Amino acid sequence: MSPPAQPSMRPTGAGELITDTLDVVHDRFSASEGGELASYIPELATADPGLFGIAVASVTGNVYVSGDADVPFTIQSLSKPFVFALALRDLGLEEVLVRVGAEPSGEGFSSIRLEPGTGRPPNPMVNAGAIVTTSLVDAPDEAARFERIRAELGAFAGRELDVDERVYASEAATGDRNRAIAYLMHGAGSLQADVEGTLGTYFRQCSVLVTARDLAVMAATLANGGVNPVTGVEVVEEHVAERVLAVMATCGMYDYAGEWLLRAGLPAKSGVSGGLVCAGVGQFGLGLFSPPLDARGNSVRSVAAAQEISRRFDLHLMHRPDRDVSALYRSTRVDRLRQLAHRTPGQRRRLRDLGSAISVRAVQGSVEFAAAESILRSVDELPSPLPDGECWLILDLSRASRVISLGAQLLGGLVERLQSQRVHVVVVDPFERGLVTGVEHRTTTFEDAQRWCEDQLLATA
Ligand code: GLN
C-alpha cells in the first residue's frame, strides 16, 4: 500500500502583510533630507546618504525587511550594549558598577566628564563608559579580548561578523578624543587596563560590520530574554538581557535619551554610522540604518521611523498592559456544573444540594501581581452549606502560562491559610509544574479534582 499522499502546501504570503507595514513607514521617511554624515571618522563620510533600511525580527525568529536592510555598515556605538552584556556575564552587575555608572549623562556621546570622586564614566552607552566595559571583558590579551567580543556580537546576530579594516584604520588614526578620555580615566583609576591596547580593541569593536537585519536579530535576542530567536542559542541569561535593556532605555540615545523615552518609549541604542536598534520587549527587535545624523549623532530617518513604528505598534513602555482578558476566567461552584457520569441518583441529589461547598477558580495567562490579587479577592468568602463550614476549593491552573515568584508566594500563603480554616485545596495542573506549594491534593485533570472533592463531600455529609 502506498503511503497517504502529503497535502501540497499552498503559499499564502501572509507574512508580507507585516512587510507591507514596514514599507509604509519606509516610504514615509525615505525622502526626508535632513542630517549630516559623521565626518570625525573620515571613512564614515564616504557613506551613501540615501541608504535607508528597516528590519524587524520577531521573538518567534521571523525577519521582515524594507529598503536597504542588507547593506553592511560599521556597528560603532551599537556595539556598546552587547559588549556591556559580555562584561555583565564576566563580572556581574556589582563589579561592573564599581567601574562604570548607570546614569544618563545629559551630554554628547564623546563627553569627557567623569563622576567626581570615583572617576567613573557616567554609563556604558557613551564612549567613556564603553571603553571601560571593553577593558572589563575577560581575556588573556587584547587579540583574545577582541575575538571574544567579535564572537559575542556574532552570537547576538546569529552569524559570524567581519571587521571593516578601512574604518578601523580611519578611527585609529583620528581617535584623539577617545584617547584623551581613556588617559583621563586611566589617571582616575576607572580604566585599569593598558590604554592603547584597550583603545585598539574598542576601535576594532566599533568597526565590526553589520546590517539592519543583523541589528534586528541582535535586539530581538535581548527582547527575547537573551535567547537568539533565529538560532535558538542562549547568548546571555535573562537577567543580563533585562539589565542591558534597562540601561539602553535610560542612556541609549545620549543627550536625547529623555526625549527619546518620552516619544518612543523603547530601549534603544544609536551609532554614528546611522544605525539604530530598539527592542519591543517580549515581541521583537528593530534594526534601522540611514547614515545622515542629527546634531546629537542620532540617525535622522532611523529615529523618525522608529518613533512611527512604536506609535503604530503601540509599543510605548509605559503603555498600560492589556488586561482585557481576565486572569480569572471561571469562578463557579460544583452544584452549577454538569454532573459527573457514574453517580447514583441519590448521590446526584446530595451533590445538587451540597455542591456549593466545592468552589472553582480557574486562572489563565501569567499570574503576576494583578492576577494573584484577583484570585485572592475572589476567595475572600467561600460558600459552605455544611454545619461546620467545611468546604473545598479547586484551583485550576491548566491555562496558567506561568506564575511569577510573588504570585507563587501569595498563592502558597493562600493555600496555607485556607487549609488551616478547613478549606481543602486541590490544584489542577496537567503539566505538573508544582506552581503552588503546600496543597492537599493535586490532579492533572479538572474531572479528577471534581471527583476527589465530591467523594470527600459525599463521605462527610
Ligand atoms: N567609534 C565611535 C567613537 O568612539 C562610536 C561613537 C558612536 O557611534 N556614537 O567615537
Side-chain angles (χ1 to χ4, degrees):
M1 224 174 42
S2 56
Q6 288 292 320
S8 63
M9 301 301 267
R10 192 163 71 95
T12 65
E16 285 163 21
L17 295 170
I18 295 175
T19 311
D20 289 347
T21 64
L22 299 183
D23 287 340
V24 169
V25 176
H26 186 274
D27 286 355
R28 174 148 177 221
F29 298 104
S30 57
S32 23
E33 292 273 296
E36 301 281 328
L37 295 175
S39 58
Y40 77 101
I41 300 174
E43 196 60 28
L44 293 184
T46 65
D48 173 355
L51 292 171
F52 183 29
I54 305 179
V56 162
S58 69
V59 294
T60 50
N62 298 301
V63 185
Y64 308 91
V65 300
S66 181
D68 305 306
D70 292 306
V71 174
F73 54 93
T74 52
I75 191 168
Q76 300 299 339
S77 273
L78 300 155
S79 61
K80 291 169 184 173
F82 304 101
V83 178
F84 177 52
L86 188 50
L88 286 177
R89 271 176 60 199
D90 284 356
L91 294 178
L93 180 65
E94 301 310 325
E95 285 276 308
V96 172
L97 280 182
V98 170
R99 307 282 290 285
V100 51
E103 295 304 327
S105 66
E107 296 189 22
F109 64 82
S110 59
S111 162
I112 274 178
R113 195 194 305 261
L114 302 178
E115 188 177 69
T118 63
R120 284 188 315 173
N123 67 68
M125 301 295 126
V126 296
N127 289 6
I131 292 168
V132 170
T133 354
T134 298
S135 78
L136 296 179
V137 171
D138 190 27
D141 55 48
E142 290 303 332
R145 181 165 297 122
F146 176 70
E147 274 315 312
R148 278 199 71 209
I149 290 172
R150 195 169 70 94
E152 179 84 352
L153 295 172
F156 272 105
R159 71 180 184 99
E160 191 166 325
L161 301 173
D162 297 322
V163 173
D164 185 325
E165 294 294 343
R166 291 165 68 106
V167 175
Y168 165 71
S170 181
E171 181 163 15
T174 57
D176 286 342
R177 192 172 171 98
N178 283 329
R179 274 194 190 88
I181 296 171
Y183 276 105
L184 200 65
M185 293 192 297
H186 197 257
S190 45
L191 176 61
Q192 291 176 3
D194 170 65
V195 172
E196 287 301 330
T198 302
L199 282 169
T201 304
Y202 169 76
F203 292 148
R204 279 195 97 70
Q205 149 196 334
C206 290
S207 302
V208 166
L209 284 164
V210 289
T211 63
R213 182 191 293 271
D214 292 326
L215 292 180
V217 177
M218 295 173 89
T221 302
L222 291 175
N224 191 35
V227 176
N228 183 315
V230 176
T231 62
V233 172
E234 181 185 87
V235 182
V236 290
E237 298 95 316
E238 188 159 6
H239 65 87
V240 170
E242 262 172 39
R243 285 161 180 174
V244 172
L245 289 167
V247 179
M248 287 167 71
T250 53
C251 308
M253 303 294 282
Y254 324 121
D255 41 346
Y256 185 61
E259 190 171 333
W260 166 267
L261 192 59
L262 175 66
R263 290 186 187 276
L266 291 175
K269 183 75 198 82
S270 64
V272 285
S273 47
L276 178 64
V277 283
C278 307
V281 181
Q283 300 200 64
F284 61 78
L286 181 59
L288 301 105
F289 169 57
S290 167
L293 307 179
D294 62 19
R296 286 140 162 162
N298 296 321
S299 162
V300 174
R301 288 193 197 101
S302 300
V303 164
Q307 288 181 355
E308 176 72 12
I309 288 171
S310 169
R311 199 182 58 72
R312 281 175 186 255
F313 291 32
D314 253 344
L315 292 173
H316 201 290
L317 270 181
M318 303 305 163
H319 190 67
R320 190 175 63 96
D322 200 349
R323 301 230 187 278
D324 290 351
V325 181
S326 136
L328 198 62
Y329 72 91
R330 192 151 77 136
S331 179
T332 187
R333 320 180 320 206
V334 156
D335 58 327
R336 293 178 178 156
L337 299 180
R338 203 159 47 84
Q339 296 199 320
L340 296 175
H342 311 304
R343 291 288 186 208
T344 64
Q347 288 177 327
R348 286 179 190 280
R349 212 173 318 111
R350 299 244 301 290
L351 286 169
R352 217 168 292 129
D353 292 344
L354 300 173
S356 64
I358 306 172
S359 295
V360 176
R361 299 290 181 272
V363 179
Q364 64 190 346
S366 170
V367 182
E368 1 125 302
F369 172 80
E373 192 213 9
S374 64
I375 299 165
L376 296 192
R377 301 317 300 248
S378 80
V379 297
D380 259 349
E381 289 184 317
L382 289 171
S384 172
L386 300 180
D388 61 355
E390 186 169 14
C391 58
W392 288 261
L393 172 67
I394 301 176
L395 193 55
D396 185 351
L397 300 179
S398 320
R399 289 203 215 164
S401 52
R402 66 170 186 161
V403 178
I404 64 153
S405 58
L406 171 80
Q409 193 185 319
L410 290 174
L411 293 183
L414 173 73
V415 167
E416 200 180 308
R417 173 176 289 246
L418 293 179
Q419 290 183 164
S420 74
Q421 298 170 6
R422 296 178 55 72
V423 182
H424 309 277
V425 185
V426 185
V427 161
V428 183
D429 179 7
F431 311 106
E432 304 187 71
R433 292 168 291 183
L435 298 171
V436 181
T437 54
V439 281
E440 195 174 324
H441 190 63
R442 293 170 192 281
T443 65
T444 54
T445 68
F446 183 80
E447 199 175 306
D448 284 346
Q450 184 177 347
R451 183 173 301 109
W452 187 82
C453 294
E454 286 183 3
D455 286 348
Q456 286 203 343
L457 175 64
L458 290 168
T460 314

